[in-house]
Amino acid sequence: MGGSSVDDDWEQLTSSPNGEQTVVLVGRTGNGKSSTGNSIIGKKSFKSLRSPSGVTSTCELKSTTLSDGQIVNVIDTPGLFDSSVGSEFVGKEIVKCIDLAKDGIHAVLVVFAVLNRFSQEEVAAVRSLQTLFGSKIVEYMIVVFTGGDQLEEDDETLEDYLSRACDDSLKDFLILCENRYVLFDNKTKDECKRVKQVQRLFSLVNEVIAQNGGQPYTDNLFAELKKGATKLHDQQIELDSFKGYSKGEISDLKNQLQLSYDEQLKRITEMVESRLRETTTKLEQQLAEELAARLKAEENAHAAQMRSDNEIRKLRENLERAQEELRKKGGCAIL
């Protein structure tokens, strides 16, 4: 998985106390996911390496200890909300993300930039996550708005921005997330300010954890990957205790076990990719139907407006004729 051995993943998993929290950053490329991750960590841990297509290369996990002693695992993801990437890429990265967060996810941080419009592809991506992981995933979502420095320059609060520029799609999404949102200035050099905005974020994370009974989000994919990693690790430990095998034979057997685990990952990845393709097809159809319904409603509204305008025009013409007839008869116009 991304060049790291299962032994490394296992060491990270088993060395983590129950009090650790794992958050995942998702959002469109350019919204500031990596910068937000660096603000949480407190240093430049996530590199903004980009491929020619403009997409962060792969999922990464970094850990930090917050000022209150809370240990946090932060997973940065590629642009899973980008329409330019295919279901194969997204599927592999989702499985990689789940593999990094075997014990579950305490919060999904959906990152938006205040200067970018909430796009239809972001709406579709959120719906894809709901379809893939179930509607309960929304209960773990927190919105992080980046660009706090830009709002500050304009002497504007986040509430000012939302009341001015928040369209219906974004309003609906914020309601879906029970208005859990926070503003980040990822360019600040003020350590006190950075710590305060991280504290505000994790007060929401703690709220999410409390509302979900203290349990991180997991599903059958998490369980299957964790079970496979546990089995592989136990078998590798068992091999190390065998006295009747040479080092070369033990190495070969471990390689065979690794290949078996890799096959499991491949099967799960193909399943996720298949789900994503089905979801994408359904969403495209749904969005097309919604667009057709909206256009039909606009057409009906336009037709109704034209009928109203025609009726008003006819009334005016009738009134003008009546006034003209009165003038010809030497009468007095009422109006």
Side-chain angles (χ1 to χ4, degrees):
M1 293 297 295
S4 63
S5 70
V6 172
D7 282 338
D8 293 336
D9 289 341
W10 179 263
E11 182 181 354
Q12 182 182 64
L13 173 65
T14 55
S15 64
S16 300
N18 293 331
E20 290 191 9
Q21 295 177 355
T22 298
V23 299
V24 177
L25 296 157
V26 300
R28 191 170 52 174
T29 298
N31 278 0
K33 296 187 303 299
S34 297
S35 297
T36 300
N38 289 335
S39 289
I40 295 171
I41 298 292
K43 60 182 179 180
K44 291 186 178 180
S45 295
F46 295 110
K47 297 179 181 178
S48 299
L49 295 176
R50 299 184 185 278
S51 69
S53 61
V55 180
T56 302
S57 56
T58 189
C59 290
E60 290 184 274
L61 182 148
K62 303 292 182 182
S63 298
T64 189
T65 302
L66 302 182
S67 58
D68 61 357
Q70 174 66 58
I71 299 174
V72 174
N73 301 316
V74 182
I75 300 177
D76 188 18
T77 66
L80 303 183
F81 282 21
D82 297 340
S83 58
S84 59
V85 298
S87 58
E88 292 80 8
F89 175 83
V90 175
K92 286 182 176 63
E93 291 306 317
I94 285 176
V95 173
K96 172 73 181 293
C97 178
I98 294 172
D99 194 41
L100 290 172
K102 293 183 184 74
D103 275 348
I105 295 170
H106 293 88
V108 178
L109 309 183
V110 186
V111 182
F112 298 132
V114 294
L115 289 187
N116 293 342
R117 185 176 178 276
F118 186 64
S119 66
Q120 285 300 310
E121 64 187 39
E122 286 170 315
V123 173
V126 170
R127 291 181 182 177
S128 294
L129 290 177
Q130 287 179 268
T131 303
L132 185 62
F133 293 113
S135 58
K136 190 171 177 63
I137 193 65
V138 176
E139 297 174 16
Y140 290 82
M141 288 184 176
I142 298 169
V143 179
V144 178
F145 289 98
T146 61
D149 54 306
Q150 294 159 330
L151 293 184
E152 191 173 313
E153 285 179 7
D154 296 336
D155 197 24
E156 191 175 25
T157 66
L158 180 58
E159 284 65 31
D160 293 335
Y161 164 79
L162 292 175
S163 63
R164 172 181 59 80
C166 187
D167 61 18
D168 289 341
S169 296
L170 182 52
K171 286 177 183 176
D172 291 342
F173 182 65
L174 291 177
I175 292 172
L176 194 64
C177 297
E178 298 183 10
N179 286 313
R180 293 186 295 267
Y181 58 82
V182 65
L183 178 66
F184 260 49
D185 173 2
N186 291 322
K187 293 184 179 180
T188 184
K189 303 297 182 183
D190 185 338
E191 179 63 11
C192 183
K193 181 179 181 181
R194 183 196 70 81
V195 169
K196 283 182 178 179
Q197 62 190 17
V198 171
Q199 288 174 339
R200 284 195 294 271
L201 170 63
F202 278 88
S203 69
L204 291 176
V205 172
N206 290 331
E207 179 183 312
V208 165
I209 293 172
Q211 287 180 355
N212 289 288
Q215 297 300 312
Y217 175 83
T218 60
D219 68 357
N220 61 324
L221 292 177
F222 285 83
E224 193 169 350
L225 282 170
K226 186 174 181 179
K227 182 179 178 181
T230 302
K231 182 180 179 181
L232 175 60
H233 181 263
D234 290 345
Q235 288 174 330
Q236 288 177 334
I237 292 294
E238 188 177 349
L239 279 173
D240 287 333
S241 67
F242 286 170
K243 303 300 182 182
Y245 292 119
S246 67
K247 288 184 178 179
E249 289 172 327
I250 291 176
S251 178
D252 289 341
L253 288 170
K254 282 188 174 182
N255 287 335
Q256 291 176 22
L257 291 174
Q258 182 69 53
L259 286 173
S260 176
Y261 181 69
D262 290 344
E263 282 297 318
Q264 181 195 30
L265 291 181
K266 181 180 178 182
R267 176 177 56 80
I268 293 174
T269 300
E270 288 173 350
M271 180 184 68
V272 171
E273 290 170 0
S274 176
R275 285 190 195 177
L276 283 171
R277 283 192 291 270
E278 292 175 5
T279 300
T280 300
T281 300
K282 290 178 181 178
L283 284 175
E284 287 175 349
Q285 181 180 353
Q286 184 178 347
L287 289 172
E289 290 173 354
E290 289 176 359
L291 176 60
R294 188 164 63 250
L295 291 174
K296 184 64 177 177
E298 291 174 357
E299 181 183 337
N300 290 339
H302 180 67
Q305 184 62 50
M306 288 188 65
R307 287 194 298 270
S308 176
D309 291 344
N310 286 335
E311 290 173 1
I312 291 173
R313 179 177 53 79
K314 288 178 181 179
L315 284 172
R316 285 177 176 169
E317 289 174 353
N318 291 337
L319 179 59
E320 289 173 356
R321 280 197 295 270
Q323 289 177 324
E324 182 63 23
E325 289 176 4
L326 281 173
R327 280 195 294 271
K328 287 180 179 178
K329 294 178 179 180
C332 178
I334 296 173
L335 296 176

